[in-house]
């Protein structure tokens, strides 16, 4: 497809709704989540190539897309709603893949938690689900953006043990879903290193050269499929530094999809100042952050 992605993600569901309710306190309204997302879409969309919205709010937001900003809707009930036992993403009840073209939505995003070292039969179930969605996207003429979020069966994110294995987890998950069987047009993948454990940023478990090698190995696993990086809830500064490192490593990636790293600070702004303050913050700080990310990827 070879499109450049300068993407903003605002597909968060119940977790964001809860954060907004807490920030708003007595001023909270039932439509705060939709108001917040519409503001992000309308204020940041003009400078983004695409904005990702969720399946629940998405249909109500489609008319708010600015010209030149591609419509992308997640095919998930809630990014925080998975079955506890197997971490399989729950599909939306209000949308089918066949609905996307009718809504003039050309991009469908689907995520799944994936542990390369998990029970093989469980991973087969997850792979079959992804392959089925890929096939339905192809049949409907919708571009498929696939997002594998890695985990380890026993190691916790944020620990040194997990940081040591994360590069290999990202590499292996990328290689798996790059297979033509899944018919993914774009892979939306995690940064393969935790900068908290890279020399110059945090505890030096990895040298700078090691980190660059990790980027290259994971990037090579994409095998020609368009590759974009997600922010995964890190700070804006960390994500910007990560994108610059990917460029330094020479990874042939297509851009980024960034959510909380851009707009998480706006939750508190909305809570204290309402929609007008939110939109002002987005036009100022939010737009500046998006522009810096675009600059970082060249």
């Amino acid at each position: 497809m070879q499109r450049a992605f300068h993407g903003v993600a605002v597909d968060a569901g119940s977790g964001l709704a809860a954060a907004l309710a807490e920030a708003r306190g007595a001023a909270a309204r039932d439509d705060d989540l939709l108001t917040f997302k519409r503001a992000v879409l309308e204020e940041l969309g003009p400078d983004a190539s695409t904005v990702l919205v969720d399946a629940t709010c998405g249909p109500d937001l489609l008319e708010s897309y600015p010209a030149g900003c591609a419509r992308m809707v997640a095919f998930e009930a809630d990014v925080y709603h998975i079955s506890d036992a197997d971490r399989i993403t729950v599909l939306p009840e209000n949308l089918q893949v066949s609905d996307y073209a009718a809504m003039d939505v050309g991009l469908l995003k689907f995520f799944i938690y994936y542990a390369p070292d998990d029970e093989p039969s469980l991973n087969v179930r997850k792979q079959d689900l992804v392959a089925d969605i890929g096939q339905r996207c192809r049949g409907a003429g919708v571009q498929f953006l696939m997002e594998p979020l890695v985990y380890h069966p026993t190691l916790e994110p944020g620990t040194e043990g997990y940081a040591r294995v994360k590069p290999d987890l990202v590499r292996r998950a990328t290689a798996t879903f790059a297979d033509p069987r899944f018919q993914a047009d774009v892979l939306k993948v995690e940064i393969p290193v935790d900068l908290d454990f890279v020399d110059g940023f945090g505890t030096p478990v990895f040298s700078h050269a090691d980190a660059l090698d990790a980027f290259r190995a994971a990037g090579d696993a994409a095998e020609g499929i368009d590759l974009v990086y997600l922010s995964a809830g890190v700070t804006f500064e960390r994500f910007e530094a990560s994108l610059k490192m990917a460029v330094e490593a020479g990874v042939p990636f297509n851009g980024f999809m960034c959510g909380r790293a851009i707009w998480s600070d706006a939750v508190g702004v909305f809570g204290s100042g309402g929609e007008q303050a939110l939109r002002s913050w987005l036009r100022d700080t939010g737009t500046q952050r998006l522009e810096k990310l675009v600059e970082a990827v060249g």
Side-chain angles (χ1 to χ4, degrees):
M1 188 164 51
Q2 294 301 313
R3 70 168 74 224
F5 273 82
H6 302 148
V8 175
V10 64
D11 57 327
S14 57
L16 176 57
L20 291 171
E22 181 179 0
R24 295 274 279 162
R29 294 166 48 102
D30 291 341
D31 61 352
D32 278 345
L33 183 62
L34 189 63
T35 297
F36 185 91
K37 293 188 177 202
R38 181 175 285 112
V40 171
L41 173 58
E42 291 179 349
E43 301 299 342
L44 300 184
D47 295 307
S49 63
T50 184
V51 173
L52 168 64
V53 295
D54 62 296
T56 301
C57 295
D60 293 323
L61 292 169
L62 295 179
E63 296 306 315
S64 295
Y65 272 80
C69 181
R71 294 175 171 183
M72 185 191 305
V73 177
F75 190 61
E76 305 134 8
D78 187 337
V79 294
Y80 300 100
H81 185 188
I82 59 171
S83 52
D84 294 333
D86 50 25
R87 299 196 188 192
I88 292 181
T89 309
V90 177
L91 302 183
E93 296 182 356
N94 63 314
L95 290 177
Q96 298 294 327
V97 174
S98 56
D99 296 326
Y100 279 59
M103 296 188 301
D104 195 25
V105 175
L107 292 163
L108 178 151
K109 169 259 184 180
F110 177 76
F111 93 94
I112 200 158
Y113 287 110
Y114 191 79
D117 295 313
D118 221 333
E119 175 64 36
S121 61
L122 174 58
N123 281 347
V124 168
R125 288 171 56 202
K126 293 180 177 181
Q127 291 170 17
D128 287 347
L129 174 60
V130 174
D132 178 64
I133 293 173
Q135 182 176 4
R136 284 190 275 167
C137 284
R138 188 59 54 90
V142 176
Q143 299 289 339
F144 181 28
L145 188 143
M146 167 58 196
E147 177 182 0
L149 295 175
V150 300
Y151 68 96
H152 189 275
T154 60
L155 298 173
E156 289 295 323
T159 65
E160 180 177 329
Y162 184 79
R164 289 185 180 277
V165 301
K166 184 180 181 181
D168 190 56
L169 296 179
V170 174
R171 179 189 63 79
R172 291 162 65 194
T174 300
T176 294
F177 292 104
D179 189 285
R181 171 197 171 198
F182 300 102
Q183 302 190 66
D185 297 287
V186 183
L187 286 179
K188 178 187 175 191
V189 300
E190 296 173 73
I191 299 296
V193 293
D194 183 341
L195 291 190
D196 286 343
F197 296 93
V198 175
D199 190 26
F201 296 95
T203 305
V205 172
F206 295 97
S207 68
H208 189 81
D210 291 335
L212 294 179
D213 286 342
F215 271 96
R216 296 182 186 111
D220 288 345
E223 298 183 0
I225 289 183
D226 286 1
L227 191 71
V228 299
Y229 288 113
L230 61 101
S231 56
V234 301
T235 65
F236 170 77
E237 291 77 15
R238 278 284 198 263
F239 189 53
E240 181 186 23
S242 298
L243 294 178
K244 289 180 177 179
M245 191 172 288
V247 172
E248 182 183 356
V251 178
F253 69 105
N254 295 72
F256 59 85
M257 289 294 304
C258 184
R260 287 168 289 172
I262 289 179
W263 52 253
S264 62
D265 293 338
V267 172
V269 174
F270 183 45
S272 61
E275 183 178 357
Q276 183 176 351
L278 166 64
R279 286 182 177 270
S280 178
W281 186 95
L282 289 167
R283 286 192 294 268
D284 184 8
T285 304
T287 298
Q288 288 177 18
R289 288 180 175 180
L290 179 56
E291 289 173 348
K292 286 182 179 179
L293 296 182
V294 173
E295 182 180 354
V297 300

